[in-house]
């Protein structure tokens, strides 16, 4: 089956923003105007196409990224609508990993809000070209020019307005196009009928000034345009577009559009911008990976005749078809019924079906090509971040950074019948969500689930009940503390066991030393002279890692240290993998106990927007929670407090903040870093667990 759209006529884009900026509503309008939908649904009615989960419809927020495909002009646009809530930031992360461009939506009243900054930094990390859409221009407090300035100040971006709104709030009546220098007015509520008219007299000077400023910026990127501008010649439209496109794809500028998605204004122009200025798959740098045959870096160009390389970026459990793996094809062609090689798991698997996605609806296709985003049915062992490729040309593509969970709860089945179902259901949810972890506490016999926040775990437990029909009792949220060391120490263990037959012998001597925060764990093999045979050294490392899972103070994972294996001995008959793993684990525990271990607690970045009259009370309350205020500034919505507060002090904060401010304050919270806990907190944590050695 031949390609339906040439590669240069494909756009892979994501819609990202702070919560409640209007991403899902904008996506709904895009699908309507592109002919994919015949009727628009609203988020507040629970009828938006992309918010298909029951939990999304009830709460009016996006929880899981949803994919869809539409056509505008002669271009296929693959769209991923991402969540705005910080608890689901991994959904944004893995979507951006496979996208070529993004539309970042800002509320014309709220401007650059806390989660806007987070998603902007994520896009920066993957060097994603962006265009901005300033939404809700008809909302009270809307100010286009203030939001553009906030993009400069808070994001360090270089916004390039290509439009100017005519009026704001209830007076928002049209959009001035700075390329064609005319005004677009809408004739009906659906936004399907519009007409072009002259720019109002009171706006001409402002529009001309902004066009000049736009051309001055563009002149930096193209000599031909610079010459025409300096000679005060007319700039051809195709040259204007070409230079904007070049500067956008190079991440030098961010074209800015405006409108009101809810009232159907400006969406068609935004779609034109996606086609005109965001890159096709062959205009972004070719994907890099490691060739498994020689361990060297390999590049895969976005071409159908290259060997297959695709990245599974999301796993979803489906009631009817089982596991659904969302993937992006970077090179080659993938066919339904064919076999692919999972390079991360070293497995060959058959793809029984390939489907194009439209939220929770899907359409079967025979094959997909380089640059396509689709989903596969039939991959039993695939995980988020796995590379699917041609077995003759194996490659591992760069995977994704997964943030650490910071909150945990104990969960147990309500009845005996629920016990097996709970275990199976939790595994399915963990397959879907890399930030959701499951562990088993052997001392208490409890199953522990960990996540990114209270809402994250609340959604998980709600899905258990509704989707998987599992009854479960959930304990109170607990903080995911960690442990680390502050000094260097040595541990030596001679593990000897005699049981009548062949014995067990493993002798390990190692040194542990602290690393910088966030470094994780490093293992160094410093063995010389063969005092420990090479085949046993990986088992020593495995034993050390096993020791790190349960710290010596309170049983929490130990992080940010290096273990150097420096000496040991072996027995020609009695030494074994098991013996050296046990010796490695015991030596690590012994060394860590001597290395001044401490408790670390997760600290959150908290941003509170509060009316001025409640500022003192809110600040006092944050101080009482061991919070450190790092910034305090005036915004259009009130005073913005930026603080760093330990997570253990933030439980129940939403209720307290509401009662203190009569419901008028809002806050967002996201993980910042792990820091040493104060002595009083550490003692409380250790005494509560009772595992101190």
């Amino acid at each position: 089956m031949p390609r339906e759209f040439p590669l240069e006529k494909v756009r892979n884009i994501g819609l990202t923003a702070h919560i409640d900026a209007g991403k899902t509503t904008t996506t709904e309008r895009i699908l309507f105007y592109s002919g994919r939908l015949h009727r628009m649904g609203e988020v507040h009615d629970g009828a938006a196409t992309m918010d298909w989960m029951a939990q999304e419809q009830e709460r009016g927020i996006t929880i899981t990224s949803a994919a869809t495909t539409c056509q505008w002009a002669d271009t296929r646009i693959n769209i991923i609508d991402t969540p705005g809530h910080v608890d689901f930031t991994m959904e944004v992360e893995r979507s951006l990993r496979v996208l070529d461009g993004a539309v970042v939506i800002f509320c014309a009243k709220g401007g650059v809000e806390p989660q806007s900054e987070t998603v902007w930094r994520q896009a920066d990390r993957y060097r994603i070209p962006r265009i901005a859409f300033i939404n809700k221009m008809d909302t009270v407090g809307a100010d286009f020019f203030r939001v553009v300035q906030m993009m400069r100040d808070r994001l360090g971006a270089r916004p390039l307005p290509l439009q100017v709104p005519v009026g704001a709030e209830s007076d928002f009546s049209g959009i001035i196009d700075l390329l064609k220098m005319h005004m677009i007015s809408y004739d009906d509520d659906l936004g399907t009928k519009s007409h072009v008219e002259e720019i109002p007299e009171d706006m001409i000077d402002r529009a001309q000034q902004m066009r000049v400023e736009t051309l001055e910026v563009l002149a930096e990127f193209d000599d031909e345009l610079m010459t025409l501008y300096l000679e005060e010649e007319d700039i051809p439209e195709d040259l204007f577009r070409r230079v904007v496109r070049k500067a956008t794809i190079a991440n030098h500028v961010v074209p800015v559009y405006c409108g009101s998605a809810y009232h159907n204004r400006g969406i068609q122009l935004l779609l034109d911008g996606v086609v005109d200025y965001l890159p096709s798959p062959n205009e972004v740098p070719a994907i890099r990976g490691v060739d498994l045959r020689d361990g060297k870096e390999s590049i895969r160009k976005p071409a159908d005749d290259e060997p297959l390389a695709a990245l599974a970026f999301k796993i979803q459990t489906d009631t009817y078809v089982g596991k659904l793996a969302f993937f992006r094809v970077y090179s080659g062609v993938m066919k339904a019924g064919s076999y692919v090689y999972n390079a991360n798991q070293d497995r060959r698997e058959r793809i029984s079906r390939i489907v194009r996605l439209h939220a929770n609806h899907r359409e079967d296709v025979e094959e997909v090509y380089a640059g396509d985003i689709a989903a596969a049915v039939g991959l039993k062992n695939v995980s988020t971040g796995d590379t699917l490729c041609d077995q003759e040309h194996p490659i591992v593509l760069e995977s994704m950074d997964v943030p650490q969970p910071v909150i945990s709860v104990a969960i147990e089945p309500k009845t005996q019948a629920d016990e097996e179902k709970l275990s199976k259901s939790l595994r399915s949810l963990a397959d879907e969500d890399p930030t959701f972890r499951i562990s088993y506490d052997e001392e208490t016999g409890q199953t522990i689930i960990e996540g990114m926040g209270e809402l994250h775990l609340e959604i998980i437990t709600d899905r258990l009940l509704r989707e998987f029909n599992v009854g479960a009792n959930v304990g109170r949220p607990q903080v995911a503390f960690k442990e680390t060391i502050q000094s260097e120490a040595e541990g030596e263990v001679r593990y000897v066991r005699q049981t009548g037959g062949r014995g067990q012998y493993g002798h390990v001597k190692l040194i542990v030393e602290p690393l910088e925060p966030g470094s994780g764990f490093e293992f160094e093999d410093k063995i010389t002279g063969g005092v420990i045979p090479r085949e046993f050294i990986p088992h020593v490392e495995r034993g050390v890692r096993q020791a790190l899972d349960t710290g010596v103070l309170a049983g929490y994972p130990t992080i940010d240290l290096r273990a150097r294996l420096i000496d040991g001995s072996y027995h020609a008959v009695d030494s074994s993998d098991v013996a050296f793993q046990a010796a490695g684990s015991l030596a690590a525990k012994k060394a860590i106990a001597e290395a001044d271990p401490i408790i670390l607690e997760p600290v959150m970045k908290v941003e509170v927007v509060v009316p001025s009259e409640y500022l003192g009370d809110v600040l006092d309350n944050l101080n009482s929670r061991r919070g450190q205020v790092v910034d305090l500034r005036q915004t259009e919505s009130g005073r913005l407090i930026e603080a760093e507060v330990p997570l253990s002090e933030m439980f129940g904060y939403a209720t307290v903040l509401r009662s203190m401010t009569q419901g008028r304050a809002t806050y967002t919270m996201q993980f910042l870093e792990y820091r040493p806990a104060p002595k009083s907190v550490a003692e409380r944590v250790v005494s509560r667990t009772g595992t101190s050695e």
Side-chain angles (χ1 to χ4, degrees):
M1 188 177 77
R3 227 185 210 287
E4 193 177 350
F5 291 86
L7 203 57
E8 61 272 14
K9 295 294 184 183
V10 174
R11 302 288 181 272
N12 292 315
I13 68 162
L15 271 66
T16 67
H18 184 87
I19 191 168
D20 206 30
K23 294 180 304 301
T24 303
T25 303
T26 302
T27 309
E28 199 76 9
R29 282 10 181 211
I30 287 172
L31 296 176
F32 176 74
Y33 294 124
S34 63
R36 187 81 208 209
L37 290 181
H38 301 296
R39 177 180 171 276
M40 291 180 278
E42 303 300 348
V43 174
H44 58 265
D45 294 333
T49 306
M50 305 302 276
D51 283 354
W52 56 271
M53 290 173 66
Q55 293 83 356
E56 294 176 315
Q57 292 167 356
E58 288 169 1
R59 290 169 172 81
I61 62 169
T62 302
I63 291 167
T64 182
S65 51
T68 189
T69 299
C70 67
Q71 183 178 340
W72 185 252
D74 56 352
T75 302
R76 165 173 279 156
I77 305 176
N78 297 316
I79 302 170
I80 298 182
D81 175 29
T82 64
H85 196 285
V86 71
D87 279 16
F88 308 104
T89 190
M90 183 60 195
E91 290 288 326
V92 184
E93 180 85 18
R94 59 183 173 186
S95 299
L96 288 174
R97 171 66 180 79
V98 298
L99 293 171
D100 302 321
V103 177
V104 184
I105 299 173
F106 298 100
C107 170
K109 177 185 177 183
V112 178
E113 297 171 278
Q115 188 65 3
S116 311
E117 292 188 58
T118 303
V119 297
W120 195 270
R121 305 287 172 237
Q122 287 173 304
D124 278 345
R125 190 159 62 249
Y126 292 117
R127 294 196 54 76
I128 303 285
R130 280 146 274 180
I131 60 179
F133 180 63
I134 298 177
N135 190 26
K136 302 188 178 184
M137 277 307 307
D138 50 0
T139 302
V140 174
D143 187 335
F144 175 85
F145 300 101
R146 181 178 63 85
V147 179
V148 170
Q149 189 57 46
M150 288 178 81
M151 289 176 65
R152 293 189 184 100
D153 297 341
R154 296 194 68 174
L155 302 176
R158 196 171 188 184
L160 187 77
L162 299 182
Q163 298 178 342
V164 187
V166 178
E169 303 180 347
S170 59
D171 295 328
F172 176 55
S173 58
I175 297 166
I176 294 171
D177 184 334
L178 294 178
L179 167 59
K180 298 183 177 180
M181 287 304 283
H182 62 216
M183 172 178 162
I184 297 102
S185 292
Y186 290 88
D187 303 326
D188 66 340
D189 290 340
L190 274 179
T192 53
K193 295 176 183 175
S194 62
H195 68 272
V196 171
E197 58 184 84
E198 294 293 317
I199 298 171
E201 281 189 25
D202 61 339
M203 290 288 295
I204 285 178
D205 289 345
R206 185 71 182 266
Q208 286 176 339
Q209 178 197 342
M210 290 194 68
R211 178 177 165 87
V212 167
E213 289 171 2
T214 296
L215 290 173
E216 283 176 353
V217 171
L218 294 177
E220 296 176 28
F221 307 110
D222 188 86
D223 292 341
E224 183 185 351
L225 192 146
M226 177 182 279
T227 303
L228 292 172
Y229 172 69
L230 292 175
E231 293 175 356
E232 299 185 1
E233 298 282 342
D234 287 340
I235 310 291
E237 280 185 25
D238 63 333
L239 176 63
F240 187 106
R241 284 198 180 91
R242 193 167 71 245
V243 179
V244 174
R245 181 179 185 81
K246 181 170 72 173
T248 304
I249 292 173
N251 268 308
H252 294 315
V253 300
V254 179
V256 181
Y257 287 76
C258 63
S260 168
Y262 182 60
H263 287 111
N264 314 312
R265 302 287 185 264
I267 303 300
Q268 297 98 322
L269 301 173
L270 176 64
L271 276 167
D272 290 338
V274 168
V275 172
D276 288 344
Y277 305 127
L278 289 182
S280 63
N282 56 1
E283 290 176 298
V284 295
I287 192 74
R288 295 173 183 269
V290 175
D291 191 318
L292 293 185
R293 292 169 299 183
D294 56 18
K296 294 180 180 176
E297 185 180 75
S298 180
I299 295 175
R300 291 292 165 83
K301 296 173 185 172
D304 298 341
D305 54 4
E306 285 266 305
L308 173 67
L311 185 77
F313 66 95
K314 178 181 166 73
I315 307 299
Q316 184 176 306
T317 304
D318 187 276
T319 314
Y320 303 105
V321 300
K323 190 182 277 191
L324 200 61
F326 292 55
F327 62 87
R328 157 78 188 264
V329 182
Y330 284 98
S331 64
V333 178
M334 187 184 289
K335 298 183 180 182
S338 66
Y339 282 87
V340 294
Y341 177 62
N342 185 332
N344 299 74
Q345 315 261 4
D346 189 22
R347 289 174 180 268
R348 189 165 172 259
E349 291 198 66
R350 184 174 182 271
I351 293 181
S352 55
R353 288 169 58 199
I354 298 175
V355 293
R356 284 204 189 282
L357 298 150
H358 180 50
N360 63 331
H361 304 292
R362 44 194 83 97
E363 131 198 6
D364 281 88
V365 292
E366 286 301 309
E367 53 192 14
V368 285
Y369 304 88
D372 282 345
I373 292 175
V377 178
L379 298 172
K380 294 182 175 62
N381 298 295
V382 70
S383 301
T384 299
D386 284 356
T387 301
L388 309 174
C389 59
D390 177 359
Q391 193 162 6
E392 299 300 313
H393 303 85
I395 188 173
V396 173
L397 303 178
E398 183 188 353
S399 194
M400 291 159 267
D401 293 326
V402 179
Q404 290 291 317
V406 294
I407 189 170
S408 65
V409 296
I411 188 168
E412 57 185 29
K414 281 189 175 177
T415 66
Q416 194 75 30
D418 287 322
E419 191 165 348
E420 191 178 335
K421 283 166 67 180
L422 177 64
S423 174
K424 189 176 177 184
S425 304
L426 288 174
R427 281 198 303 273
S428 293
L429 290 168
D431 282 345
E432 287 188 19
D433 184 353
T435 59
F436 173 61
R437 310 275 173 87
I438 313 158
S439 59
Y440 184 72
D441 188 326
E442 292 184 3
E443 288 191 14
T444 63
Q446 290 180 307
T447 298
I448 308 296
I449 58 174
E450 296 177 273
M452 299 302 293
E454 289 180 90
L455 179 61
H456 187 197
L457 293 182
E458 184 187 318
I459 298 294
I460 291 284
T461 51
D462 195 29
R463 288 185 64 192
L464 280 173
L465 183 63
R466 296 205 205 183
E467 286 178 41
F468 298 94
N469 299 314
V470 178
N473 295 316
V474 181
R476 291 186 60 198
Q478 302 290 325
V479 176
F481 291 99
K482 306 279 188 198
E483 299 182 22
T484 194
I485 58 173
Q486 300 179 91
S487 63
E488 187 177 296
E490 186 180 285
E492 183 174 7
V493 165
R494 200 180 300 267
Y495 182 82
V496 183
R497 293 288 185 274
Q498 286 300 139
T499 54
R502 178 185 167 183
Q504 296 282 1
Y505 181 91
H507 172 208
V508 167
K509 185 177 182 180
L510 53 78
I511 292 173
V512 295
E513 58 187 6
L515 293 176
E516 289 293 314
S519 301
F521 168 66
E522 293 178 11
F523 180 82
E524 284 187 5
D525 170 18
K526 296 293 184 182
I527 292 296
T528 55
V531 293
I532 298 177
R534 309 246 44 95
E535 65 266 24
F536 292 135
I537 289 171
H539 297 283
V540 176
E541 180 180 352
R542 195 170 298 150
V544 175
R545 289 183 181 275
Q546 188 179 349
L548 300 184
D549 288 341
T550 52
V552 300
L553 288 177
Y556 290 105
T558 308
I559 60 172
D560 300 335
L561 63 85
R562 177 188 291 121
R564 283 186 284 130
L565 178 60
I566 59 169
D567 202 1
S569 63
Y570 74 102
H571 188 281
V573 176
D574 290 350
S575 286
S576 66
D577 301 348
V578 172
F580 273 100
Q581 184 168 330
S585 180
L586 293 168
K589 289 255 186 201
K590 190 174 182 181
I592 289 167
E594 299 294 322
D596 299 324
I598 56 169
I599 299 288
L600 298 173
E601 63 178 352
V603 175
M604 313 302 282
K605 178 185 175 185
V606 179
E607 295 202 0
V608 187
V609 178
V610 56
S612 297
E613 59 263 38
Y614 303 110
L615 180 65
D617 292 342
V618 172
L619 286 171
D620 289 345
N621 185 262
L622 285 172
N623 287 330
S624 72
R625 295 171 184 267
R626 296 194 284 128
Q628 296 177 356
V629 176
V630 295
D631 195 12
L632 177 62
R633 58 182 179 268
Q634 183 68 46
T635 70
E636 291 295 314
S637 308
R639 302 299 290 275
L640 187 141
I641 306 165
E642 191 175 306
E644 296 170 0
V645 191
L647 174 63
S648 58
E649 306 290 343
M650 288 300 293
F651 291 125
Y653 185 64
T655 305
V656 172
L657 185 66
R658 268 198 302 269
S659 62
M660 265 193 306
T661 63
Q662 297 182 358
R664 293 173 63 194
T666 59
Y667 85 103
T668 60
M669 177 174 76
Q670 67 190 83
F671 173 68
L672 181 64
E673 62 186 2
Y674 273 94
R675 289 181 187 165
K679 189 177 179 183
S680 59
V681 174
E683 287 173 351
R684 191 167 69 242
V685 171
V686 171
S687 64
R688 189 175 68 220
T689 57
T691 61
S692 180
E693 295 184 1

